[in-house]
Amino acid sequence: MRASQMFAPTLREIPAEAEIVSHQLLMRSGMLRKVASGVYTYMPLAWRTMKKIMDIIREEMDKAGCQELMLPVVHPAELWQQSGRWQVYGDELWRLHDRHGRDFCLGPTHEEVITDLVAREIKSYKQLPLRLYQIQNKYRDERRPRFGLMRGREFIMKDMYSFDRDQEGLEESYRLMYQAYTNIFTRCGLDFRPVVADNGAIGGDASHEFMVLAESGEAGIIYCSSCSYAASSEVAEAYLDRTPCNEIPGEMKEVETPHCKTIEDLTRFLNVSPEKTIKTLCYQADDQFVLAVIRGDRTVNEIKLKNRLGCLELTMASDEVIKKYLDSPAGYVGPVGVKNIRMIVDREVPFLANAVCGANKEHYHLINVNPDRDFSIEETADIRLVEEGEICPECRAKLLSARGIEVGQIFKLGTKYSESMGAKYLDENGKEQLMVMGCYGIGVGRTMAAAIEQNYDADGIIWPMAIAPYHVVVVPVSDRDREPEQMQAATKIYQDLLAQKVEVVLDDRKERPGVKFKDADLIGYPLRITVGSKTLAEGKVEVKMRATGDVHYVELDRVVAFVKEKLNLPEERGF
RNA sequence: CGGGACGUAGCGCAGCUUGGUAGCGCACCUGAUUUGGGAUCAGGUGGUCGCAGGUUCAAAUCCUGUCGUCCCGACCA
């Protein structure tokens, strides 16, 4: 490719709308342009990288016995009504109707379409397992698209759906995908980590998210400093210290605590440490009023709580609702004396002694509260958020926290969709059985953005070799007519590299050298070959590595061999 | 969906308070000089000031509505 013909309009300034590095650099390097909020055009350089990522995905999927197919973007409402998600999915489902007024939606994911297909075509255990994948545009009418490709309304995603005879088969599919994902992100040159994740409303019994570690990540990760334990902060657990408190239980008393509505007020006023307090939070879980009881220094993990309650909607109860059920103002709620209200007690609470909690009476708290003695505990669960510095549940080392970009997630679906969509087969005994499903997604654009978030400097992108849009740029320093030998030498190198199937760009533009260097750094070619008069006089060119800044002076006749050697360097990093 | 902000040339912005018919930098075009890290000088192209109403002799500027975009939060199979 000649730079003079390449469609890659680079920008000197950062577009005002781009907030994070990957978005800024994708815009500045002329790779991406916005068409509407959350909807983008992938320009030639970006599309080359996208295709490379997709090719890596394809190779690993095919290797794991999966077959690629193409599914429609437009789905009839009937399929979604059949699974029940037409109602459940909400406003994020991008709905439309045709000229006859029939309802359709743009597929945000393809369980319905593919399960329906498989249900129609697969009849016998002999045809299983079946693993089908697609890489295509998907649509979610996000409330708030953001961060460029990170959260778009139209995005390219690979989804694989596995259909197995039984749970055992699913385990095998899942294991294969876990390995395939590890291979894919490693090959993409990413520093990533698989973490245990929440299944969300999709149900099922296990899920992993593949997280690219980056400060700008939207997701929190808790991982062990010593063993392999790693989990999304949504589901992370910590070691539970079951040592009973050896304090002698004191007499429970009501004390006046004027205007102490928060744990902070309370600890200051009574001079107690927050871990000796009990906090009681009031929630509205669908139509049910529930209490979450937790140590004062902890934070409720609403995902865990929601999963425990099995509700669809979970919100903090309003003051009026609290008043109605407890006759206590918010801020003075406590578990003592509460009757006929479901109460989920965090599993740490029973180990407290002589704690402080709300008295269900304005301006009063109770001291020397002892769980079990002073209030009955019927339901304990882990409902709290784990923080950095806590103890690993697996090996008791210290837990650390990090931010991550979720680039992939694998789910065991079970029979949720095979049941609703009627995906059954006959087993060896002629007995009808439900297929056991799994689904496995990778955000392709998000993977590209994540690669940038992890590989950039002040000058621009630093592509990992495997997904760089091009490997090499050849830059003749001068285009002066009186120094034609530079352009000649550069053109020869360019042609020789092309002949060797190296993906190379010749920067033949009539630009000053500074402009070419700046663009080369911005676009992030892994190698830059500079042809200048000084080195050319010695029969050499300069080869600069974008990632390290290392410079090599190489004889003209050795350049191609040198470059090929550099390109073959293993890029694998990751875990 | 709640809160906040913005919309003026391809990009980044000023002008708006105090109404008088639009400006700066970059980019782009022409010429000259320049050429190892986003050149200099001279000349030039390009804008119904998001859109629609209203007030006014007169609206980018004031008022109302509307659309779009971004940020924070909520949400995220």
Side-chain angles (χ1 to χ4, degrees):
Chain A
M1 184 76 224
R2 287 173 182 267
S4 59
Q5 286 151 35
M6 189 162 78
F7 182 46
T10 55
L11 304 175
R12 193 184 294 239
E13 283 171 292
I14 300 169
E17 68 190 29
E19 197 64 24
I20 61 165
V21 167
S22 59
H23 190 193
Q24 293 173 349
L25 290 175
L26 282 165
M27 296 291 292
R28 284 193 57 211
S29 60
M31 298 179 82
L32 195 74
R33 290 293 184 264
K34 186 177 70 180
V35 176
S37 179
V39 179
Y40 293 89
T41 292
Y42 304 83
M43 292 156 79
L45 288 173
W47 191 240
R48 287 182 70 93
T49 290
M50 293 288 281
K51 283 191 288 191
K52 290 191 177 192
I53 295 170
M54 291 188 271
D55 283 345
I56 290 171
I57 293 172
R58 285 194 177 97
E59 284 174 29
E60 295 297 332
M61 286 296 115
D62 293 351
K63 206 164 86 187
C66 309
Q67 300 171 68
E68 184 172 4
L69 49 52
M70 187 72 162
L71 295 168
V73 159
V74 178
H75 301 185
E78 288 75 15
L79 285 178
W80 285 73
Q81 283 157 352
Q82 197 177 339
S83 73
R85 289 207 289 181
W86 186 258
Q87 285 76 25
V88 174
Y89 213 103
D91 290 336
E92 233 148 81
L93 189 61
W94 201 320
R95 294 162 213 256
L96 62 158
H97 51 79
D98 68 10
R99 62 169 67 199
H100 306 292
R102 285 190 276 261
D103 288 320
F104 289 85
C105 65
L106 301 179
T109 172
H110 287 67
E111 281 85 6
E112 281 79 359
V113 171
I114 198 147
T115 309
D116 180 64
L117 174 74
V118 171
R120 288 171 195 281
E121 308 301 332
I122 299 297
K123 299 292 166 208
S124 159
Y125 71 93
K126 294 172 193 165
Q127 296 167 293
L128 297 176
L130 187 60
R131 304 191 183 108
L132 301 171
Y133 73 100
Q134 30 125 220
I135 303 178
Q136 50 190 94
N137 279 350
K138 306 216 172 189
Y139 298 82
R140 288 180 198 171
D141 194 1
E142 291 280 350
R143 283 175 182 186
R144 186 181 158 205
R146 66 180 133 171
F147 302 146
L149 291 185
M150 290 293 182
R151 186 170 291 273
R153 294 194 291 173
E154 175 181 81
F155 51 94
I156 297 177
M157 189 149 167
K158 184 281 299 182
D159 262 322
M160 200 286 272
Y161 301 96
S162 66
F163 299 85
D164 280 285
R165 296 172 59 182
D166 48 27
Q167 189 64 29
E168 213 170 292
L170 172 60
E171 299 295 338
E172 172 65 3
S173 291
Y174 193 85
R175 195 191 59 72
L176 278 169
M177 282 306 107
Y178 188 98
Q179 186 56 51
Y181 275 40
T182 302
N183 297 348
I184 288 164
F185 297 122
T186 301
R187 287 181 61 185
C188 287
L190 295 168
D191 188 6
F192 70 98
R193 190 137 197 169
V195 305
V196 176
D198 181 46
N199 282 46
I202 202 158
D205 64 2
S207 169
H208 282 86
E209 285 170 343
F210 285 74
M211 297 283 195
V212 167
L213 304 178
E215 267 312 304
S216 57
E218 289 189 87
I221 303 167
I222 296 288
Y223 66 100
C224 180
S225 55
S226 161
C227 75
S228 65
Y229 180 76
S232 151
S233 56
E234 294 180 343
V235 299
E237 294 178 17
Y239 172 70
L240 176 64
D241 186 357
R242 295 172 185 277
T243 321
C245 182
N246 54 13
E247 270 180 49
I248 296 154
E251 189 195 339
M252 182 170 79
K253 272 193 294 210
E254 203 173 84
V255 293
E256 196 171 356
T257 52
H259 308 293
C260 289
K261 297 193 76 170
T262 66
I263 293 293
E264 206 191 341
D265 298 336
L266 189 65
T267 53
R268 206 179 302 126
F269 186 81
L270 291 178
N271 196 25
V272 292
S273 59
E275 59 268 26
K276 294 280 282 181
T277 65
I278 296 172
K279 166 162 84 172
T280 306
L281 297 155
C282 308
Y283 282 94
Q284 189 83 44
D286 295 336
D287 291 331
Q288 197 185 12
F289 179 77
V290 297
L291 298 181
V293 180
I294 189 167
R295 236 168 68 179
D297 59 325
R298 303 300 196 188
T299 307
V300 168
N301 179 331
E302 294 189 355
I303 302 215
K304 286 183 183 175
L305 183 58
K306 202 170 167 181
N307 287 344
R308 175 74 197 192
L309 293 167
C311 62
L312 289 174
E313 289 266 346
L314 182 72
T315 51
M316 296 285 278
S318 65
D319 289 3
E320 297 77 62
V321 172
I322 297 171
K323 193 91 190 161
K324 180 176 146 201
Y325 283 93
L326 291 172
D327 195 34
S328 163
Y332 293 93
V333 175
V336 178
V338 171
K339 288 196 181 67
N340 301 324
I341 292 175
R342 186 167 176 193
M343 199 159 83
I344 314 285
V345 178
D346 184 75
R347 56 185 195 160
E348 277 184 330
V349 171
F351 299 96
L352 290 174
N354 298 330
V356 179
C357 72
N360 290 322
K361 184 169 158 191
E362 188 155 21
H363 305 311
Y364 284 92
H365 277 80
L366 297 171
I367 60 167
N368 292 333
V369 174
N370 288 277
D372 248 357
R373 185 192 74 179
D374 300 324
F375 63 94
S376 60
I377 298 175
E378 276 158 22
E379 193 172 358
T380 59
D382 175 9
I383 55 166
R384 69 184 188 82
L385 216 51
V386 171
E387 281 163 36
E388 180 161 72
E390 294 196 46
I391 307 302
C392 174
E394 306 271 327
C395 76
R396 304 202 189 172
K398 208 172 201 185
L399 290 173
L400 300 173
S401 75
R403 309 290 306 167
I405 299 163
E406 183 200 333
V407 289
Q409 183 161 20
I410 56 179
F411 280 102
K412 292 179 191 170
L413 283 177
T415 56
K416 178 172 174 174
Y417 294 93
S418 40
E419 211 170 320
S420 58
M421 307 306 291
K424 298 168 192 161
Y425 67 95
L426 292 180
D427 67 12
E428 296 93 320
N429 305 315
K431 216 179 141 210
E432 197 167 66
Q433 302 282 359
L434 285 172
M435 296 181 202
V436 182
M437 293 175 56
C439 72
Y440 318 83
I442 291 178
V444 180
R446 201 184 261 197
T447 299
M448 175 168 73
I452 296 172
E453 291 293 329
Q454 219 170 49
N455 300 284
Y456 71 94
D457 63 15
D459 292 313
I461 305 169
I462 306 172
W463 287 113
M465 191 67 78
I467 59 172
Y470 287 93
H471 298 137
V472 182
V473 61
V474 182
V475 180
V477 168
S478 168
D479 63 8
R480 273 180 294 194
D481 291 341
R482 58 192 150 91
E483 290 183 66
E485 60 277 6
Q486 281 184 33
M487 188 62 84
Q488 279 164 17
T491 305
K492 169 125 192 354
I493 293 167
Y494 167 66
Q495 283 164 345
D496 290 349
L497 287 171
L498 274 184
Q500 293 293 310
K501 303 264 188 272
V502 173
E503 298 174 28
V504 57
V505 170
L506 173 66
D507 198 341
D508 58 342
R509 294 175 299 168
K510 293 212 183 310
E511 290 287 357
R512 294 166 57 86
V515 173
K516 299 184 194 176
F517 294 151
K518 284 289 181 190
D519 276 352
D521 287 347
L522 183 57
I523 291 168
Y525 303 99
L527 266 71
R528 188 185 83 198
I529 300 174
T530 311
V531 183
S533 53
K534 290 173 212 156
T535 48
L536 201 55
E538 302 165 29
K540 291 181 179 175
V541 292
E542 173 190 306
V543 181
K544 187 172 184 180
M545 314 301 292
R546 178 70 178 89
T548 59
D550 290 350
V551 173
H552 306 267
Y553 295 95
V554 183
E555 286 84 22
L556 279 171
D557 56 0
R558 281 205 58 244
V559 172
V560 172
F562 182 86
V563 166
K564 290 196 76 176
E565 186 193 316
K566 286 292 178 192
L567 296 187
N568 286 337
L569 281 175
E571 280 289 310
E572 280 84 7
R573 294 199 288 136
F575 284 81

